[in-house]
Amino acid sequence: EFGLQANSAGVGSGAIISSDGIVVTNNHVVTGAALLRVYVPGSDDPVNAKVLGVSECSDLAVIDLEGDGYTALPFRTEPVTTGLPIFAAGYPASDASTIEEVDFTLTRGIVSNLTASGETNWASVDSVLEHDARIRGGNSGGPLVDEDGRIVGFNYAGLDASDQNYA
C-alpha cells in the first residue's frame, strides 16, 4: 500500500512492506524530523511513525508505523530488464494548500537504464534504475512498481529538463 508522510523535514511518499507497519522511504524525506506523521489510504487521520534506520549513501530509510494490520506491497523477484513497464506511485508536490489535499498519482513508463549514475548532492549510489515515469518533489521514497504491483525500486531523484527519473 502507498502512503504519504509529512514531517518538519519535508514531504514524501513511501511503501508499506510488511503488515506490521514497516515502511521504506528516502532518507532525505525523514532527515531532521522529530516526529513523522504518515497518511495511510483509508484513514483521515495520520499515523505516528518512528525511524528504525537510515542509509545516507543509499538515500533510504526504514520507518515503523504505529499499529499493525496494514496492506503490504510485495517485491518483484524476477530480474528487472530494460524496457520493463513500470509505474511510479506517490504524492507529488502540488498547489494544494494543506497536506491533506495532496492527491495520489500513478505515472507510467519503462525502465530505460539499469545502471544509471546515482550521484546527487544528497546521496551517492553506485547505480540506479533510470525510468521515464514522471516523478516530482513529494514522489521521493514512493515505490516504482511493475504491472503486477510489485516493488521494483524506490524513487528518489529526477531531472525535469531531460525527463530522467531515478529509483
Side-chain angles (χ1 to χ4, degrees):
E1 189 155 324
F2 313 112
L4 166 73
Q5 57 190 61
N7 61 49
S8 62
V11 175
S13 302
I16 298 171
I17 62 166
S18 70
S19 64
D20 59 350
I22 302 300
V23 174
V24 174
T25 187
N26 287 143
N27 178 60
H28 77 262
V29 170
V30 302
T31 296
L35 172 67
L36 298 176
R37 296 182 333 156
V38 179
Y39 289 88
V40 179
S43 176
D44 292 334
D45 298 318
V47 175
N48 289 331
K50 64 180 177 182
V51 175
L52 296 179
V54 300
S55 169
E56 289 182 30
C57 289
S58 297
D59 195 22
L60 290 173
V62 178
I63 65 174
D64 186 12
L65 304 176
E66 284 184 349
D68 57 16
Y70 296 99
T71 302
L73 284 178
F75 284 89
R76 178 183 174 91
T77 56
E78 298 87 5
V80 175
T81 58
T82 301
L84 177 73
I86 47 82
F87 299 86
Y91 294 82
S94 70
D95 294 332
S97 59
T98 67
I99 193 69
E100 293 84 359
E101 295 174 355
V102 176
D103 290 325
F104 172 76
T105 64
L106 187 68
T107 56
R108 181 186 174 124
I110 62 165
V111 172
S112 51
N113 186 338
L114 298 175
T115 58
S117 171
E119 296 297 319
T120 64
N121 62 358
W122 65 86
S124 179
V125 184
D126 289 338
S127 66
V128 296
L129 299 176
E130 180 182 327
H131 61 87
D132 65 357
R134 185 157 295 234
I135 61 173
R136 294 293 172 259
N139 276 118
S140 291
L144 187 68
V145 299
D146 66 13
E147 291 178 308
D148 294 322
R150 298 173 298 174
I151 298 170
V152 172
F154 295 92
N155 293 306
Y156 85 101
L159 300 172
D160 290 344
S162 57
D163 197 24
Q164 293 172 292
N165 307 282
Y166 303 98

